[in-house]
Amino acid sequence: MVVLSDLLILCGRVYPRGSDMQKIKSLMTRQGLKSPPESLSDLGAIESLRVPGKEEFRELREQPSDPQAEQELINSIEQVYFSTDSFDIVRYELEKLPPVLNLQELEEYRDKLKQQQAAVSKKVADLILEKQPAYVKELERVTSLQTGLQLAAVICTNGRRHLNIAKEGFTQASLGLLANQRKRQLLIGLLKSLRTIKTLQRTDVRLSEMLEEEDYPGAIQLCLECQKAASTFKHYSCISELNSKLQDTLEQIEEQLDVALSKICKNFDINHYTKVQQAYRLLGKTQTAMDQLHMHFTQAIHNTVFQVVLGYVELCAGNTDTKFQKLQYKDLCTHVTPDSYIPCLADLCKALWEVMLSYYRTMEWHEKHDNEDTTSASEGSNMMGTEETNFDRGYIKKKLEHGLTRIWQDVQLKVKTYLLGTDLSIFKYDDFIFVLDIISRLMQVGEEFCGSKSEVLQDSIRKQSVNYFKNYHRTRLDELRMFLENETWELCPVKSNFSILQLHEFKFMEQSRSPSVSPSKQPSSTSSKTVTLFEQYCSGGNPFEIQANHKDEETEDVLASNGYESDEQEKSAYQEYDSDSDVPEELKRDYVDEQTGDAPVKSVSRETLKSRKKSDYSLNKVNAPILTNTTLNVIRLVGKYMQMMNILKPIAFDVIHFMSQLFDYYLYAIYTFFGRNDSLESTGLGLSSSRLRTTLNRIQESLIDMEVSADPTATLTAAEERKEKVPSPHLSHLVVLTSGDTLYGLAERVVATESLVFLAEQFEFLQPHLDAVMPAVKKPFLQQFYSQTVSTASELRKPIYWIVAGKAIDYEQMLLLMANVKWDVKEIMSQHNIYVDALLKEFEQFNMRLNEVSKKVRIPLPVSNILWEHCIRLANRTIVEGYANVKKCSNEGRALMQLDFQQFLMKLEKLTDIRPIPDKEFVETYIKAYYLTENDMERWIKEHREYSTKQLINLVNVCLGSHINKKARQKLLSAVDDIDRPKR
């Protein structure tokens, strides 16, 4: 029982485990005791827990201890002892006892509890000793505080005593003196305020004077100062009325400032605008001012165009009482008469130019002052104000840049509306070109103004221009057909120095001016830096001023009188060059400069020049171009087309396409009149190249209306399909091409063909200019036109002059004469046959007739070379054909053939300078083939496909038949047949 009693007592003394301080507090709280830090003097209250005394503490501290073992003992305390709930520890331990008590186990358990109690007690003792210095220090602080409070009480007592003494020492009279002095100061301040108020009452007069003087910054500065002063005296009742009046005045100033801002839109004045901007800056409304400025520019554009158009409409209407002012601008534009349309358009563009120039100068002003503000801001120190200024500057810059496009769009829409108000097809060509010139200049202004393309104007004017130009071009094609059908192909006398730049229509190229700028406005000196219209007219003038005297200055002197430029030239034309003097260099140049690929490359002898001097130069010593009136008209049309193309580049492709049709139709007409002959291609000489045939077929399919119907009831659909085509022209009945005396119209053929070549040369001259204005995506069309059409003009010479060559010599008569010759002679002959003399006589007559024709028209060297080449080639082929008709031929006969041909060549070389003689090898090779063996002949037949089947068969049957057997001859005939089979 004693052991059990001790156990229960120990259970009541053991502290729970955990944080040491929390363990102690928790255990003492359950026992209703205070924690050690709160009152160390109350430790006696836990006497029932048998807390060790000081001696016991000393003993516990002096005992050797193991901190780890002690901590394990504390940790071994059961968790229930940590509970803050009230529970009976003794009851808890009793309930844990087994039904049968074992003394030894109880003693062991008691010893365990004692160890735990000793560990907890030692821990408590350590904590109490640890906190002892802090407790002593806190106690000293409390004592010091108590002393301070006692001293404060003494000070307060002394203060109250001294205040009572002061109260008794001051009198009422002294306080009254101080009150009067204060009142005096207040009255002085009141007097100053009254004087200021009096001044404020008189400021409205000065403000009115400053507004009349347009000193807006000064007026605003004064008004703001007055408002600031009024706010200082707002406690006076009279000031409230004055403050309201000043506010009204400030609003009035803003209204007048807005009116002044609107004046900038039509006539920019730098001093006026500077004052306005300074005024808005004082108001702190620079952004608002910029918004208002753009509204005024938009309104100015509308009002300007309306007033200009209204003025012309009312002027043309006379005294008719029509309410034009109530009409919309779109409707008003429809009342402009054709006579006043161009002057109105010019004045309209002038007025819009003034508005755009004002905006341009406004931007210049802001750029200049922004730079000045940036420099001054970098020297200042007010960072807040600088940031605000930079923000305003950035806003204004963006607003102005955005306004460029907006204003240009407004201008385009107004001009577009004006253009759509009248059908431009009613104008003549020159007037229409003038309209395009004005619009083109306006588009150049817009491009320089905002750097963007004029899409609105381009689309509008392009549609109208293309429609106008289509109708104009169709009319010109019909006129060209009429000119061609009535053309007699006589020479149009022009001067030797004739150039298309001398024509009115090409003056724009000679002046080398911009397509959009009036020539009178071109700067006199060129510089590396391009001057814009805004820089050029910034100080005065207008790019849309009509130059009335410009056309009067243009003169045209291209025609020669009677084919000569002067009487002296006419006299010199008939000078004789048969003397031993040197041949003029001018003659030599004519034979050299005009050579083409068709002419032989060799020097021209003195004898040839003498024999040809009258042929080539009796009429035109100055080597004037060969062209007709129709050619000149086509060139003028090309010039007009290029004017339109240069003025309005967006339609460049359409214009060049129509220009190509002019050339196509002229080329097709020359071919139809003088070169069409179905028998040409049957010769096998390749007179018409595949490129020429392709070009002619393309022209016929795309441009020529081959189904001209006289039926008036033809369907509209068929008419629409043929709307873009032109009927094929017909040669005038006045042109005779069947007379042998005129060499079958050789003069007309030369004039027609060489005029086409001259026209092609002018197109070649214009190619760089056309290439410069042609859009990049359309340049392949231009290149194709030049490579496949223009370059084929000279190729027409061969088929056209072949017809003359085929009729100028009587080749059939020569065949009859050759048929009468006996070729199976037994002796070698020394005399040639008479057909050679007959053929040479034909050539002499041809030369005489050629000289006769040259008295009418100069025959250039390439033409004469082609004529002689055709005649000689036909003669040589006729000779071969004559040899192919021989029935019998001996070796001596073959020698006679060579003799005849050599005689022909010798005499022919005296008549012509062409070297080598055309088809000379064609004849010689055929004659030499008579001497070939069987094997060589078979190889020769396969290699020479230029001969006809008949000619090859004659070689086999007549010439080789005498010394080869039948089998060999049949083999050669089979080889000939193999060659002829693909031709069938």
Side-chain angles (χ1 to χ4, degrees), residues 496 598 609 647 828 853 896 944:
S496 61
D598 298 326
L609 291 174
I647 291 174
I828 297 177
V853 173
L896 181 60
H944 293 77

Side-chain angles (χ1 to χ4, degrees), residues 261-444:
L261 186 64
S262 64
K263 295 179 181 179
I264 300 296
C265 300
K266 293 184 179 179
N267 186 15
F268 182 86
D269 182 79
I270 187 170
N271 295 325
H272 182 75
Y273 188 69
T274 302
K275 291 180 181 180
V276 172
Q277 283 297 321
Q278 289 176 352
Y280 274 110
R281 186 172 299 178
L282 290 173
L283 291 173
K285 296 184 177 181
T286 52
Q287 297 184 16
T288 304
M290 191 52 54
D291 296 337
Q292 288 295 113
L293 181 63
H294 281 80
M295 291 177 58
H296 288 314
F297 269 105
T298 302
Q299 190 66 27
I301 292 173
H302 174 75
N303 294 339
T304 298
V305 297
F306 187 85
Q307 291 300 324
V308 170
V309 177
L310 178 63
Y312 275 92
V313 170
E314 290 180 344
L315 179 65
C316 297
N319 297 326
T320 56
D321 188 14
T322 307
K323 304 297 182 180
F324 292 114
Q325 294 185 353
K326 296 182 180 180
L327 294 177
Q328 295 291 330
Y329 173 72
K330 180 179 180 180
D331 299 328
L332 188 65
C333 292
T334 60
H335 290 79
V336 179
T337 61
D339 294 337
S340 62
Y341 185 85
I342 293 179
C344 181
L345 177 61
D347 288 346
L348 191 68
C349 292
K350 285 181 183 179
L352 292 173
W353 160 260
E354 295 297 336
V355 176
M356 297 170 72
L357 179 61
S358 296
Y359 194 89
Y360 175 82
R361 297 185 65 187
T362 301
M363 290 194 67
E364 277 191 335
W365 186 94
H366 280 280
E367 290 176 0
K368 178 181 178 182
H369 284 74
D370 284 350
N371 295 333
E372 295 176 356
D373 293 344
T374 303
T375 304
S376 60
S378 61
E379 298 174 355
S381 58
N382 189 355
M383 297 301 297
M384 187 68 69
T386 302
E387 291 179 0
E388 184 177 354
T389 303
N390 290 336
F391 178 78
D392 290 343
R393 190 183 301 118
Y395 176 84
I396 292 173
K397 183 178 180 180
K398 291 182 179 179
K399 190 74 175 179
L400 288 172
E401 291 175 352
H402 176 72
L404 286 171
T405 306
R406 178 182 174 184
I407 288 176
W408 176 233
Q409 290 294 330
D410 291 342
V411 170
Q412 288 187 88
L413 290 174
K414 296 300 181 184
V415 177
K416 177 184 177 182
T417 303
Y418 180 81
L419 293 174
L420 295 177
T422 303
D423 185 8
L424 298 182
S425 62
I426 63 175
F427 292 109
K428 296 180 179 179
Y429 178 81
D430 292 338
D431 293 336
F432 184 75
I433 288 293
F434 197 86
V435 171
L436 291 186
D437 186 50
I438 294 177
I439 299 302
S440 181
R441 271 179 273 178
L442 181 62
M443 289 192 293
Q444 182 185 2

Side-chain angles (χ1 to χ4, degrees), residues 35-44 128 131-132 135:
S35 61
E38 295 177 359
S39 179
L40 293 176
S41 61
D42 293 336
L43 291 175
I128 291 173
K131 299 296 182 179
Q132 182 66 23
Y135 169 75

Side-chain angles (χ1 to χ4, degrees), residues 147-161:
T147 304
L149 291 175
Q150 290 175 355
L151 179 60
V154 173
I155 293 173
C156 288
T157 303
N158 292 335
R160 288 181 180 179
R161 180 169 52 83

Side-chain angles (χ1 to χ4, degrees), residues 571-706:
K571 292 178 181 179
S572 64
Y574 294 99
Q575 291 179 352
E576 294 292 338
Y577 294 117
D578 294 330
S579 62
D580 295 334
S581 60
D582 292 337
V583 180
E585 292 295 329
E586 186 177 327
L587 276 149
K588 297 179 181 179
R589 284 198 302 271
D590 181 64
Y591 274 89
V592 174
D593 292 344
E594 291 190 321
Q595 286 185 357
T596 64
D598 298 326
V601 181
K602 67 180 290 295
S603 61
V604 182
S605 64
R606 178 188 301 273
E607 291 75 11
T608 301
L609 291 174
K610 289 180 180 179
S611 64
R612 301 264 183 101
K613 64 182 185 298
K614 293 182 180 180
S615 143
D616 288 335
Y617 296 91
S618 61
L619 185 63
N620 294 285
K621 292 281 100 49
V622 291
N623 192 18
I626 299 177
L627 67 159
T628 66
N629 288 327
T630 303
T631 314
L632 203 57
N633 286 332
V634 173
I635 294 175
R636 291 183 186 276
L637 274 180
V638 171
K640 290 183 177 181
Y641 284 22
M642 291 185 65
Q643 284 181 16
M644 180 176 293
M645 175 181 62
N646 268 19
I647 291 174
L648 197 62
K649 291 184 179 180
I651 66 170
F653 171 72
D654 302 278
V655 176
I656 293 177
H657 174 65
F658 293 147
M659 285 173 56
S660 68
Q661 288 187 346
L662 293 176
F663 187 86
D664 288 347
Y665 195 70
Y666 195 88
L667 183 146
Y668 185 82
I670 300 300
Y671 171 75
T672 303
F673 293 166
F674 304 105
R676 176 174 287 176
N677 192 326
D678 296 336
S679 63
L680 285 180
E681 300 306 323
S682 62
T683 61
L685 299 179
L687 298 175
S688 298
S689 64
S690 60
R691 184 175 61 167
L692 178 59
R693 292 194 299 272
T694 301
T695 299
L696 293 171
N697 291 334
R698 176 188 61 79
I699 296 174
Q700 181 171 315
E701 293 174 1
S702 62
L703 187 61
I704 306 302
D705 184 6
M706 305 301 293

